[in-house]
Amino acid sequence: QVQLVESGGGLVQAGGSLRLSCAASGRTVSGSAMAWFRQAPGKEREIVAAISWDAGVTYYADSVKGRFTISRDNAKNTVDLQMNSLKPEDTAVYYCAANTINTEVVVTTFYKYWGQGTQVTVSS
C-alpha cells in the first residue's frame, strides 16, 4: 500500500507562485510514475503533470506548459510541483497520484493511489 500526502496549497494572487509537495509512505514509489491531477468545481479531474520513475520523461497539460515544473526525489520519496505565473483558472484541488502498476506516465487509468488533495486558490 502507498499513502500519499500533499502539502503546499493555499491562496495566491494571479501571477504568483506556489510549490506543492507530495510525500509517499508505506512503500517506496521510486520505481513508479507519479503525477499531479487537479479538479475544479463542476469539472472533471484532469492530469496536470506527470513524471517517470527516473525523471527521464515528463508530461505537462497544454494549459500549464511553461509555467509548471514537476520534479521528484526518489531518496526522499517525494514529488513536487512548482507552479509559477498562476492564473485564476488554475484554482482547483490538486491531487498527487502514483502508478505502481507499470511504467506508463500519461495513461491516467493506471494511477491507483491518491492523496487527499490540497486546495489551490488563485485570486484575480
Side-chain angles (χ1 to χ4, degrees):
Q1 293 289 328
V2 177
Q3 291 80 45
L4 302 172
V5 178
E6 303 96 337
S7 61
L11 173 64
V12 64
Q13 288 188 333
S17 299
L18 281 175
R19 187 176 184 88
L20 304 183
S21 186
C22 172
S25 62
R27 62 176 272 193
T28 181
V29 294
S30 60
S32 304
M34 301 292 293
W36 286 93
F37 291 75
R38 68 186 180 188
Q39 187 166 22
K43 295 187 177 181
E44 293 189 355
R45 188 164 54 190
E46 61 174 352
I47 188 169
V48 174
I51 188 167
S52 62
W53 70 274
D54 61 351
V57 175
T58 55
Y59 165 84
Y60 296 95
D62 288 343
S63 58
V64 306
K65 279 182 183 176
R67 300 188 298 122
F68 290 12
T69 303
I70 189 170
S71 61
R72 66 187 300 161
D73 186 332
N74 285 340
K76 296 181 178 179
N77 242 13
T78 59
V79 178
D80 290 349
L81 184 68
Q82 177 67 42
M83 306 186 295
N84 299 328
S85 302
L86 283 161
K87 304 175 181 180
E89 50 264 44
D90 294 318
T91 295
V93 177
Y94 283 71
Y95 298 91
C96 174
N99 169 11
T100 62
I101 298 174
N102 52 37
T103 58
E104 288 287 343
V105 174
V106 183
V107 180
T108 60
T109 54
F110 292 127
Y111 286 92
K112 300 299 185 183
Y113 291 100
W114 297 85
Q116 81 290 350
T118 185
Q119 177 70 47
V120 171
T121 303
V122 185
S123 63
S124 58

